Amino acid sequence: MTEAAELLPAPEQAREVFGERFADAVRYAELLAEAGVQRGLIGPREVPRLWERHLLNCAVLSEVVPEGVTVCDVGSGAGLPGIPLALVREDLKITLLEPLLRRTNFLTEVVELLGLDHVTVVRGRAEEVMGKLPPVHVVTARAVAPLDRLATWGIPLLRPYGEMLALKGDAAEEELKSAATALTKLGAVTTSIVHVGEGVVDPPSTVVRVEVGESPGGVRFAAKRAKAARTGRARRRRG
């Protein structure tokens, strides 16, 4: 690798955050810096800041994920935030949802190499898997799409009273305001902005939290979800 694409040593905070999985976190960082760049999953300029901007930034999301829940990481890409979250939270059952084959191949390799038995890789778009995957407690996402569009993909995958946690940047508050109407139509009942990773990442990571009521996705998606479930049951009976 060139000097500009050199992976820096893991900061001391990484040892604290990843604990017993620190060695696996280092291996994941190396995979991102090598195969991730070669396959076009991450830009070479991101390599020197992989720890601060990517791995730790995503791992601290664990601070707001409840214990023992199911999680779907929508548009997982190279595994961010899903893989760092999985490394620090073995109590979670995580699905990495990604439509592109080259990315799902990479994710499958990482999951197998790191022995992440509580992680499943699924190739597909969120709108395609609704009704085919069991609804989850938590949907996560990072750098996938503006909040209003992301919500149309992520919220329908939730169980009743679940929540979507979206890692966002400085424009989080503005995005949340502009998406307010869309979120309400999708069944959101509470929205907030929380900051995680104090003392680990600087600045702390910004998370938009969207909590839903009994009809995630709203009435239209509830009907669509029910239809997909009926179709799935019919296929299983025929099979």
Side-chain angles (χ1 to χ4, degrees):
M1 288 186 289
T2 65
E3 185 178 348
E6 182 181 357
L7 176 64
L8 300 179
E12 193 59 35
Q13 296 96 315
R15 292 183 179 275
E16 300 171 11
V17 170
F18 290 103
E20 294 180 358
R21 285 284 196 168
F22 173 69
D24 291 325
V26 171
R27 185 66 187 119
Y28 177 51
E30 292 170 347
L31 289 167
L32 287 174
E34 296 163 6
V37 171
Q38 292 165 7
R39 300 186 195 183
L41 306 183
I42 194 165
R45 292 183 180 180
E46 296 301 311
V47 173
R49 48 189 183 179
L50 271 176
W51 284 105
E52 296 286 348
R53 187 183 176 100
H54 299 286
L55 274 75
L56 287 172
N57 180 274
C58 291
V60 295
L61 182 63
S62 65
E63 294 178 16
V64 288
V65 178
E67 289 187 17
V69 299
T70 52
V71 178
C72 182
D73 188 32
V74 173
S76 196
L80 301 165
I83 297 292
L85 184 61
L87 287 170
V88 299
R89 294 288 300 276
E90 295 192 28
D91 60 299
L92 305 174
K93 295 291 184 183
I94 300 177
T95 298
L96 306 180
L97 182 62
E98 169 56 47
L100 295 185
L101 180 61
R102 62 189 171 91
R103 292 176 180 170
T104 53
N105 285 343
F106 175 78
L107 292 173
T108 300
E109 292 166 17
V110 171
V111 167
E112 292 177 354
L113 183 65
L114 301 185
L116 298 174
D117 298 333
H118 56 306
V119 177
T120 303
V121 178
V122 174
R123 184 186 176 198
R125 299 182 184 279
E127 58 268 34
E128 297 169 346
V129 301
M130 188 179 63
K132 299 177 183 177
L133 292 180
V136 297
H137 298 92
V138 177
V139 162
T140 59
R142 178 178 186 258
V144 174
L147 187 61
D148 54 351
R149 199 185 326 154
L150 173 63
T152 65
W153 301 332
I155 288 180
L157 300 178
L158 289 170
R159 295 170 48 137
Y161 308 104
E163 60 184 330
M164 183 176 73
L165 301 172
L167 281 161
K168 288 289 183 178
D170 296 337
E173 191 170 340
E174 184 179 329
E175 275 198 59
L176 186 53
K177 286 180 180 178
S178 63
T181 301
L183 292 174
T184 300
K185 288 181 179 178
L186 288 166
V189 294
T190 306
T191 62
S192 58
I193 294 177
V194 294
H195 299 282
V196 295
E198 187 75 41
V200 177
V201 288
D202 185 23
S205 301
T206 300
V207 180
V208 174
R209 172 187 257 155
V210 179
E211 299 171 84
V212 300
E214 60 183 17
S215 299
V219 176
R220 183 167 62 90
F221 282 100
K224 186 176 180 181
R225 190 162 42 239
K227 181 180 179 182
R230 288 195 300 272
T231 302
R233 287 195 296 269
R235 285 174 180 166
R236 286 193 292 273
R237 284 198 295 270
R238 287 197 298 269

